């Protein structure tokens, strides 16, 4: 059986001293190595399958090489590719991810974070933060993923909600829709507020008023189902912009129960382009977010934060892409 690669092997492949290789593979000392050299060393480590001895490093530095990753719903297909991006970035630096799921329960989240903090983790990546939350205190390295707080003092990585919703609204208007409604996400989340605001602004910019807005109490299929029933009891919308894909799937179920066809009677759009929405009937028109990149960049920001806790917080906004499928129909002139 081949022996595991050592730091000496990495150094030889990268043509550097072993001490330089060690510094480059430790986020806390990587800034002491030139970016070009560090990149060469990281590539050599990846090629050799080298993994730093986390236990030994923890004994030397009295810090963990494990990062807590907390998500609100393990059943939501949007999160696995984000977590994969987190894991890949952490592994390149010799760190591991410890995953926790809250099921959207605040008490469960508090218990989970308290337990993780007791393990002296190196830092946290949170996909659960509310707009007014203060994550874990100033002595803990934290990065928010797919969410951000109203305060700007916590690093975060999100997709461009505003651009995505504007693209959906413009698409629906181009297809002849003027009675457009919104199923908004929870308003205690940044995504819920930002997408609702973008929906209203997008319509106003085109001289239209919303056909209706219903706020969902969760980013879930059941919440979308319930909100669609309330919405269509009060409005005759020809199109619905859902706050995310899970809400949109709930909308599908409610339309079927009401004997309404999608898209012939009501067009539906989502947000996130989570796996398998292209397999729905009809395939869902949505906004694709860079799931993997969001996770990867969140881990990269956290590693920077661990290395330099006093550095100014960065708030990254990644571009999105409109994905047109079969859930949006053109409105006949007689229906506009």
């Amino acid at each position: 059986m081949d022996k595991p690669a050592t730091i000496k092997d990495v150094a030889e492949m990268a043509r550097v001293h072993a001490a330089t290789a060690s510094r480059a593979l430790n986020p806390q000392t990587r800034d002491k190595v030139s970016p070009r050299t560090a990149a060469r060393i990281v590539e050599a480590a990846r090629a050799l399958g080298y993994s730093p001895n986390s236990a030994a490093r923890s004994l030397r530095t009295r810090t963990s090489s494990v990062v807590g990753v907390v998500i609100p719903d393990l059943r939501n297909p949007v999160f696995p590719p984000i977590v994969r991006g987190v894991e890949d970035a952490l592994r390149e630096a010799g760190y591991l991810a410890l995953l926790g799921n809250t099921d959207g329960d605040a008490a469960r989240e508090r218990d989970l974070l308290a337990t993780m903090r007791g393990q002296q983790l190196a830092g946290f990546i949170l996909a659960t933060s509310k707009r007014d939350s203060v994550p874990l205190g100033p002595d803990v390295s934290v990065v928010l993923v797919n969410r951000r707080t109203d305060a700007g003092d916590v690093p975060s990585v999100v997709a461009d909600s505003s651009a995505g919703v504007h693209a959906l609204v413009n698409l629906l208007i181009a297809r002849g829709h003027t009675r457009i409604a919104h199923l908004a996400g929870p308003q205690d989340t940044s995504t819920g507020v930002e997408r609702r605001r973008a929906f209203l602004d997008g319509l106003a910019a085109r001289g239209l008023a919303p056909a209706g807005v219903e706020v969902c109490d969760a980013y879930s299929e059941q919440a979308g189902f319930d909100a669609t029933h309330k919405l269509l009891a009060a409005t005759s919308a020809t199109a619905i912009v859902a706050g995310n894909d899970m809400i949109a799937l709930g909308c599908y179920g409610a339309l079927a129960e009401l004997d309404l066809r999608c898209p012939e009677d009501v067009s539906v759009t989502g947000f996130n382009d989570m796996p398998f929405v292209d397999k729905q009937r009809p395939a869902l028109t949505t906004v694709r977010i860079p799931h993997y990149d969001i996770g990867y960049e969140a881990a990269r920001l956290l590693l920077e934060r661990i290395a330099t806790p006093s550095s100014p917080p960065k708030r990254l906004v990644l571009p999105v892409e409109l994905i047109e499928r079969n859930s949006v129909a053109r409105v006949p002139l007689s229906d506009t």
Side-chain angles (χ1 to χ4, degrees), residues 19-34 38 57 61 95 303 306-308:
T20 303
S22 180
R23 282 194 291 272
L25 294 174
N26 184 344
Q28 295 179 322
T29 56
R30 184 171 295 173
D31 60 349
K32 301 183 186 305
V33 181
S34 73
R57 185 170 68 191
T61 64
Y95 282 73
L303 293 171
I306 292 170
T308 314

Side-chain angles (χ1 to χ4, degrees), residues 223-309:
F225 179 89
D226 295 339
T228 302
H229 275 282
K230 293 179 183 177
L231 180 72
L232 294 181
T235 183
S236 57
T238 63
I240 296 174
V241 176
N244 79 343
D245 292 343
M246 295 295 287
I247 291 173
L249 295 185
C251 185
Y252 274 19
L255 292 176
E257 188 171 272
L258 294 168
D259 291 326
L260 293 172
R261 299 166 300 165
C262 176
E264 293 86 353
D265 298 317
V266 181
S267 293
V268 176
T269 68
F271 202 107
N272 285 339
D273 194 34
M274 68 184 190
F276 309 118
V277 293
D278 59 325
K279 303 297 190 296
Q280 299 296 319
R281 292 294 178 267
L284 182 64
T285 292
T286 185
V287 169
R288 177 174 295 162
I289 69 172
H291 307 85
Y292 179 90
D293 292 344
I294 287 174
Y296 192 95
E297 290 300 319
R300 188 181 63 80
L301 283 190
L302 181 65
L303 293 171
E304 288 182 3
R305 199 72 171 171
I306 292 170
T308 314

Side-chain angles (χ1 to χ4, degrees), residues 195-208:
R195 293 172 193 174
R196 179 180 182 176
R197 183 184 301 125
F199 171 77
L200 297 174
D201 290 347
L203 286 181
R206 303 294 295 273
L208 295 175

Side-chain angles (χ1 to χ4, degrees), residues 129-131 147-148 185-194 219:
S129 290
K130 308 298 185 183
R131 292 170 52 211
R147 300 274 181 90
R148 54 187 174 189
Q187 296 299 286
D188 59 354
T189 66
S190 60
T191 46
V193 169
E194 290 166 5
Y219 279 117

Side-chain angles (χ1 to χ4, degrees), residues 123-140:
F124 292 84
I125 294 175
L126 306 179
T128 54
S129 290
K130 308 298 185 183
R131 292 170 52 211
D132 60 353
S133 63
V134 181
L136 298 173
D139 60 327
V140 182

Side-chain angles (χ1 to χ4, degrees), residues 98-161:
L98 176 63
L99 183 64
N101 172 62
T102 69
D103 282 334
D105 185 294
R108 180 170 177 172
E109 181 176 355
R110 284 193 299 271
D111 292 343
L112 179 61
L113 289 174
T115 300
M116 285 183 165
R117 289 199 68 177
Q119 302 300 311
Q120 307 251 318
L121 302 188
F124 292 84
I125 294 175
L126 306 179
T128 54
S129 290
K130 308 298 185 183
R131 292 170 52 211
D132 60 353
S133 63
V134 181
L136 298 173
D139 60 327
V140 182
S141 296
V142 175
V143 171
L144 307 184
V145 63
N146 206 42
R147 300 274 181 90
R148 54 187 174 189
T149 63
D150 288 347
D153 58 351
V154 183
S156 60
V157 184
V158 299
D160 194 338
S161 286

Side-chain angles (χ1 to χ4, degrees), residues 78-103:
V78 77
F79 289 110
I82 291 176
V83 172
R84 178 63 182 272
V86 169
E87 287 183 325
D88 284 355
L90 292 178
R91 186 172 60 250
E92 289 175 5
Y95 282 73
L96 296 174
L98 176 63
L99 183 64
N101 172 62
T102 69
D103 282 334

